[in-house]
Amino acid sequence: MLQMLLKLIVLMFSTLLLVVIRVQVIQSQLPVFTRFDNPAAVSPSPARQLTFNYLLPVNAWLLLNPSELCCDWTMGTIPLVESLLDIRNIATITFFCFLGTLLVFSLWYPGDSSKIVLMALCLIVLPFIPASNLFFPVGFVVAERVLYVPSMGFCMLVAHGWKKLSNNSVLRKLSWVSLSLVLFVHALKTLHRNWDWESEYTLFMSALKVNKNNAKLWNNVGHALENEKNFERALRFFIQATQVQPDDIGAHMNVGRTYKNLNRTKEAEESYLVAKSLMPQIIPGKKYAARVAPNHLNVYINLANLIRTNESRLEEADQLYRQAISMRPDFKQAYISRGELLLKMNKPLQAKEAYLRALELDRTNADLWYNLAIVYIELKDPIEALKNFNRALELNPNHKLALFNSALLMQESGDARLRPEAKKRLLNYVKEEPQDANGYFNLGMLAMDDKKDAEAETWMKKAIKLQPGFRSALFNLALLYSQTAKELNALPVLEELLRYYPDHTKGLILKGDILMNQKKDIQGAKECFEKILKMDPNNVQGKHNLCVVYFEERDLIKAEKCLVETLALAPHEEYIQRHLSIVRSKIALLSTGEAAVVPTEKTAPVDRGESPFGNLKGTKNENLKGATNEQRSARTTNSNGNKGQAKPKKQVEKNSTDKETKKKSAKEIKDIEKKRVAALKRLEEIERILNGE
């Protein structure tokens, strides 16, 4: 007795310890079960008691004859036993009679046989009691997994019974034949069952063969098809789930989500609204508590995410987020989604409050710190934005969006001390996202900031290789060539840019400038500028450069008229007024006979830095800006005055005499060359302007 007492004490304390550990695992909160998980648990008497007692013979039958196995026995798998007249009560009575007989035999008839039966009954009954629903409800109706330990006791009973039969000389052969048959049949069943577990789809389809009244099974088959992107077939299973269980919120949510994946937004919204109508409704003036499955609250999030695509329904979406928060104040995802919506509604201060509230619930979420950084960018507070980006990266050093956008923020700051860290983060980003051309493009922009032209060229080319037709990379690569005296290399790049984007104004202007200055193709340049004006007649830059073309063509009257029209578009531009004065002076000289056109072959080309009309040609190119706002986050570096002047060379009219132009001194030629180089270098700042388009 003392030894037995010690064993019982050890058993009790170990059980208590397991209970304590279990309570810690579930964080001292009972799991939330819905009426779909265990319908009998929420049923009134006597249906509750009759059903729970009927489940005992059902489990016993699974041990005795495991022919119809099902991976899920919840919902409507086993209909409720609602009346004493239900024929299934006979199975319950038979089970208790058989169990009572075994119990009486083990207690009242001494001997080894009774001890074996008692041990087998203990293995069957005791481990099963916590999952029996008899003392407290659980989250399932029947679960084959809880029969694992009881099956040991059942096997002991079978083995003991077979031994009794085999000891009988008359039944010995029959017992061996029966045992062999049982082993063979069960081996075949095991082999067949293994194929059911090949995939989620095969598992749940095998369950549907056993029971078609379980909506969860229809939903799970739909999920398996959904994972395979087979939305049309998945939709049919989800709809069937709603027909089997019309009040299943999750099934209607699945239908809505699938409709959304099929871009059938109207049907998706209708399904979400049905699911929402099944949620517990708030009754004004009445206090009550309702337990809601956490995943069911996603109906508010999903519906809000759907309707927020309509700009006129943003307030309605916000109301849904707030309703979800009111039902569960610790619903983190609702705060996150609402913060995104408030940013879209241009309410950054409220978005900030939403994200801060979410951070109170989870300060280890890198995505939340990242979102808060985006809010600070909207609030024009780059310092705080960078701090929050850094916090996100502390929690998740490989957070791709934080790496990318924090690097861009460092670029935008214009602080050269931050460039090494920005480059490091962009390199980490392209390591995580090697197929994203934006990462290589911004590495190229950083290299251009550092005057590393060869490195910038390499990064730009890699970006274009990954994303042919990358607008920003193509234009800035052409700009890089033009500023490093490789204008002829820029032409093929501009041709490719204009092939993808024929209306790219800046590309047309740069191409026209190169054609006029380097190729001496005035007609080609003229076509570029005329195309710009065809798209935008009020484009001052294009119109001004067309005036330059007219001047190159010696059509001073047309050039004057063109400049007058350009001045009307930009009356405050001093350089246009100055160039118009130069043209009119030329016309006046010609009209008085004081100047004559010298034959082309007798005129010497004058460097653009020395031409009396030199400042006219291409001056408007000073406003050329890098077209890079197609990338995720536009840069905002300021420009500096006159940039990228590209003045087409020309032959100048001399005095009415036929004297040849005197050669310039070596010093003058050297000064002219310096001016030419300086004009090219002024293009270096152009690519910094990333909000130009």
Side-chain angles (χ1 to χ4, degrees), residues 19-295:
V19 170
V20 171
I21 294 174
R22 175 62 174 169
V23 170
Q24 292 296 321
V25 169
I26 63 175
Q27 298 180 352
S28 303
Q29 292 182 350
L30 288 175
V32 178
F33 299 129
T34 67
R35 57 192 178 87
F36 305 112
D37 297 323
N38 192 349
V42 294
S43 300
S45 298
R48 176 190 174 103
Q49 289 75 20
L50 291 175
T51 303
F52 283 158
N53 282 282
Y54 172 68
L55 294 180
L56 300 177
V58 170
N59 283 277
W61 182 251
L62 285 174
L63 288 173
L64 183 64
N65 179 32
S67 60
E68 293 186 345
L69 298 177
C70 183
C71 60
D72 190 282
W73 294 79
T74 57
M75 291 193 161
T77 303
I78 298 178
L80 297 175
V81 181
E82 298 178 324
S83 170
L84 291 171
L85 300 178
D86 195 311
I87 195 172
R88 290 175 293 176
N89 289 321
I90 296 176
T92 305
I93 294 171
T94 302
F95 169 78
F96 278 110
C97 289
F98 182 74
L99 184 64
T101 301
L102 289 176
L103 187 61
V104 169
F105 173 79
S106 63
L107 294 176
W108 292 96
Y109 294 92
D112 292 339
S113 181
S114 61
K115 290 181 179 179
I116 293 173
V117 172
L118 181 61
M119 183 63 184
L121 287 176
C122 289
L123 281 174
I124 292 173
V125 174
L126 295 179
F128 182 75
I129 285 177
S132 65
N133 281 295
L134 295 177
F135 298 99
F136 48 84
V138 293
F140 52 84
V141 180
V142 173
E144 294 165 9
R145 62 184 179 274
V146 303
L147 295 176
Y148 182 70
V149 176
S151 68
M152 298 178 186
F154 179 77
C155 289
M156 287 181 64
L157 283 178
V158 172
H160 183 60
W162 178 83
K163 183 179 180 181
K164 290 284 188 183
L165 291 174
S166 63
N167 289 334
N168 189 317
S169 58
V170 178
L171 300 176
R172 182 175 299 173
K173 289 184 179 179
L174 180 62
S175 65
W176 279 103
V177 170
S178 300
L179 178 62
S180 300
L181 182 62
V182 168
L183 291 175
F184 178 73
V185 171
H186 279 69
L188 287 180
K189 178 64 177 179
T190 301
L191 183 64
H192 181 267
R193 183 62 173 165
N194 285 341
W195 287 108
D196 290 340
W197 284 82
E198 182 182 10
S199 66
E200 286 189 355
Y201 175 76
T202 56
L203 177 62
F204 296 125
M205 284 299 293
S206 69
L208 281 177
K209 295 175 184 177
V210 175
N211 180 18
K212 291 181 169 57
N213 295 322
N214 187 337
K216 186 182 289 188
L217 294 176
W218 294 98
N219 280 320
N220 286 338
V221 175
H223 287 311
L225 293 169
E226 190 179 33
N227 292 336
E228 298 173 359
K229 308 299 180 184
N230 193 344
F231 298 119
E232 290 288 352
R233 285 191 64 198
L235 180 61
R236 291 198 292 270
F237 282 91
F238 288 142
I239 291 176
Q240 182 63 33
T242 62
Q243 294 173 353
V244 171
Q245 192 81 40
D247 55 352
D248 182 11
I249 297 174
H252 290 285
M253 290 173 62
N254 292 334
V255 173
R257 185 181 62 256
T258 309
Y259 274 130
K260 184 181 179 182
N261 290 331
L262 293 170
N263 295 319
R264 296 165 64 177
T265 55
K266 182 179 179 182
E267 293 91 338
E269 183 176 351
E270 290 173 355
S271 298
Y272 283 139
L273 288 173
V274 172
K276 179 174 174 288
S277 67
L278 296 172
M279 294 288 289
Q281 302 300 310
I282 298 175
I283 303 175
K286 183 179 179 181
K287 294 183 178 180
Y288 66 99
R291 300 189 76 186
V292 181
N295 62 314

Side-chain angles (χ1 to χ4, degrees), residues 345-624:
M345 297 170 68
N346 198 25
K347 298 179 178 179
L349 289 175
Q350 295 183 36
K352 176 183 172 183
E353 293 176 3
Y355 286 132
L356 289 175
R357 180 69 182 92
L359 281 170
E360 292 177 8
L361 301 171
D362 184 7
R363 298 192 67 83
T364 62
N365 189 320
D367 291 335
L368 283 174
W369 291 107
Y370 169 80
N371 290 345
L372 188 59
I374 299 299
V375 171
Y376 279 114
I377 289 177
E378 293 294 324
L379 292 172
K380 312 299 181 186
D381 192 346
I383 296 176
E384 281 298 318
L386 189 57
K387 287 180 181 178
N388 285 281
F389 279 138
N390 292 338
R391 288 173 184 168
L393 290 171
E394 287 173 5
L395 294 168
N396 181 7
N398 296 323
H399 194 290
K400 291 179 284 190
L401 291 176
L403 285 169
F404 184 83
N405 286 288
S406 62
L408 289 186
L409 198 60
M410 292 176 179
Q411 281 182 276
E412 291 172 7
S413 69
D415 189 346
R417 295 171 298 178
L418 296 177
R419 288 177 192 163
E421 179 62 23
K423 182 177 180 180
K424 178 182 176 182
R425 294 188 182 187
L426 284 173
L427 288 172
N428 287 337
Y429 175 77
V430 297
K431 184 178 179 181
E432 295 291 324
E433 287 286 342
Q435 299 302 314
D436 187 359
N438 287 286
Y440 300 103
F441 168 74
N442 283 284
L443 280 167
M445 299 303 294
L446 263 180
M448 292 175 76
D449 288 342
D450 289 331
K451 306 298 186 293
K452 298 177 181 178
D453 298 331
E455 182 181 339
E457 180 182 354
T458 301
W459 291 123
M460 291 293 184
K461 285 182 176 179
K462 190 157 189 177
I464 295 168
K465 182 179 179 181
L466 285 172
Q467 185 180 325
F470 191 164
R471 180 185 177 113
S472 302
L474 285 167
F475 181 73
N476 282 281
L477 179 59
L479 212 53
L480 176 64
Y481 283 140
S482 68
Q483 76 181 26
T484 54
K486 298 178 182 178
E487 288 87 347
L488 296 182
N489 290 344
L491 274 179
V493 180
L494 288 170
E495 291 290 350
E496 185 179 358
L497 171 67
L498 295 171
R499 180 164 59 87
Y500 285 102
Y501 309 99
D503 58 346
H504 195 288
T505 303
K506 304 299 188 296
L508 287 167
I509 289 175
L510 185 56
K511 180 183 176 183
D513 174 69
I514 294 173
L515 289 174
M516 185 177 293
N517 282 301
Q518 304 300 322
K519 301 283 286 185
K520 306 299 186 293
D521 184 0
I522 296 176
Q523 183 59 34
K526 183 177 182 181
E527 291 174 1
C528 290
F529 301 139
E530 285 178 341
K531 187 174 182 179
I532 293 170
L533 293 178
K534 186 177 180 181
M535 294 184 296
D536 180 12
N538 295 325
N539 188 292
V540 176
Q541 190 173 354
K543 195 166 185 66
H544 174 269
N545 287 359
L546 185 60
C547 300
V548 174
V549 172
Y550 293 148
F551 185 85
E552 288 289 336
E553 293 177 339
R554 308 289 183 87
D555 193 342
L556 299 182
I557 301 299
K558 202 168 184 179
E560 179 192 22
K561 181 181 178 183
C562 177
L563 284 168
V564 170
E565 294 173 354
T566 307
L567 187 61
L569 295 174
H572 301 295
E573 293 288 356
E574 183 273 334
Y575 71 93
I576 300 178
Q577 299 175 7
R578 186 173 68 253
H579 297 160
L580 180 58
S581 299
I582 293 172
V583 172
R584 284 175 173 171
S585 298
K586 280 284 198 181
I587 294 173
L589 289 172
L590 289 173
S591 63
T592 58
E594 294 180 7
V597 178
V598 179
T600 304
E601 63 273 15
K602 291 187 178 181
T603 58
V606 179
D607 189 272
R608 46 188 162 171
E610 293 294 312
S611 169
F613 194 55
N615 290 333
L616 169 62
K617 304 164 195 171
T619 305
K620 190 54 183 169
N621 287 348
E622 65 196 13
N623 293 325
L624 194 62

